[in-house]
Amino acid sequence: MKSQRPALPPSARSLRRAIEILGWVTVSILVITGLVAIFDRAGFLTSASNMDFTDPIATFNPFDGRYVQFSLSSWAHLITGLIIFTLGPLQFMPSIRRKSISLHRWSGRIWLSAGSLAAISGGFIGIFQPFMGVDGQGFNESMATTFFAVYTLFCLAKAYSTIRARNVRAHREWMVRSWALMLAIATERIMLAILMATTDIGVPVLFGTTFWMAGLVNLAASEIWINLTRSPGSGHRHWKDLDAVSAA
Ligand code: HEM
């Protein structure tokens, strides 16, 4: 099948190859950050489950206490987060898709289900029980969670419906958006750590604000990457294959 778009000049092909390498390095850092956060919080919940107390907020603190208070949602969130961060990178490896498309399909179904549950369980805590209360400074976190949880669910639904309609190009684009949104939890942690170390602004303000910042930065990065690598037609030929043909 012939490409409907003229071949890219060598400089543009080199540029997107360089951005791809930078992207994988960034994704690796974010995945490690997210996994550390998961194990950190899971360790806390495990030790809390071995303690005797009546009021988790008084026993721990207003931030950590909520994870104990809503431990079912917290565990659902951590387990689905672990699945998302483990399977996520594999979904974007063309070599795995080429070797076994059924593995890609099955892990994709698990990934989409885990993504939906992560958005719903995160939504439960962040929308209704944000740090600092929904009628206080937590309103910022509550609104950020509402926006990102709903938009994530939308992106996941589009990723599924487009591949059912055999539109590979659109499926890839919605998956890139979904993955960028999932990775935002790690971007947020990095932003939060930097701002806590370099400013005197308190965590109650920083927490919700960095949620917005991280989500929007990741979404913007995903839109740039999608535009740079959009394949023609229904996208059955990956941009890498097209670049390889042009280079030959
Ligand atoms: C759209 C999907 C997601 C939404 C809307 C979401 C939302 C949230 C919210 C609102 C909280 C509670 C923050 C608080 O008030 O303390 C939270 C906590 C957390 N989320 Fe997510 N989340 C999502 C996906 C993920 C993913 C994919 C991971 C995988 C790493 C993840 C890992 C965590 C962790 C580790 C915590 C605990 C944070 C801590 O220990 O400080 N989340 N999430």
Side-chain angles (χ1 to χ4, degrees), residues 34-35 37-38 40-41 63 66-67 77-78 80-82 84-85 115 118-119 122-123 125-127 129-131 141 145 148-149 152 181-183 185 189 207 211:
L35 290 176
I38 291 175
D40 192 26
R41 188 49 75 190
F63 187 79
R66 289 167 312 127
Y67 290 100
H77 199 67
L78 295 177
T80 48
L82 183 62
I84 291 160
F85 270 34
I125 305 174
I127 297 171
Q129 307 293 335
F131 176 46
E141 178 190 340
T145 310
F148 289 114
T152 300
L181 284 161
M182 301 294 176
L183 288 172
I185 162 76
R189 276 188 94 92
F207 199 70
F211 202 151

Side-chain angles (χ1 to χ4, degrees), residues 34-220:
L35 290 176
V36 169
I38 291 175
F39 287 110
D40 192 26
R41 188 49 75 190
F44 164 76
L45 281 175
T46 308
S47 44
S49 69
N50 294 322
M51 290 167 64
D52 267 341
F53 53 83
T54 42
D55 182 354
I57 300 290
T59 309
F60 301 99
N61 58 59
F63 187 79
D64 294 331
R66 289 167 312 127
Y67 290 100
V68 180
Q69 215 174 355
F70 307 103
S71 60
L72 192 64
S73 289
S74 302
W75 278 114
H77 199 67
L78 295 177
I79 291 164
T80 48
L82 183 62
I83 295 172
I84 291 160
F85 270 34
T86 316
L87 296 184
L90 307 180
Q91 292 305 104
F92 289 95
M93 291 177 184
S95 55
I96 293 187
R97 285 199 298 275
R98 262 194 297 268
K99 265 187 209 132
S100 172
I101 192 66
S102 72
L103 179 69
H104 176 77
R105 285 190 185 129
W106 273 106
S107 103
R109 286 179 191 120
I110 295 169
W111 196 85
L112 290 178
S113 312
S116 309
L117 266 174
I120 292 167
S121 53
F124 179 77
I125 305 174
I127 297 171
F128 303 111
Q129 307 293 335
F131 176 46
M132 303 301 288
V134 74
D135 53 356
Q137 281 176 348
F139 185 69
N140 196 12
E141 178 190 340
S142 179
M143 289 300 100
T145 310
T146 308
F147 177 79
F148 289 114
V150 171
Y151 190 53
T152 300
L153 289 171
F154 178 75
C155 291
L156 294 170
K158 291 293 285 183
Y160 183 72
S161 65
T162 47
I163 199 57
R164 296 300 299 167
R166 303 273 183 273
N167 187 339
V168 179
R169 181 186 61 75
H171 167 68
R172 175 181 170 271
E173 294 177 6
W174 287 109
M175 281 297 291
V176 171
R177 288 185 189 102
S178 307
W179 180 225
L181 284 161
M182 301 294 176
L183 288 172
I185 162 76
T187 312
E188 183 192 13
R189 276 188 94 92
I190 294 172
M191 288 177 166
L192 191 61
I194 293 173
L195 288 171
M196 278 168 70
T198 56
T199 71
D200 290 329
I201 306 167
V203 178
V205 170
L206 287 180
F207 199 70
T209 311
T210 49
F211 202 151
W212 283 113
M213 289 162 59
L216 293 178
V217 164
N218 278 25
L219 263 185

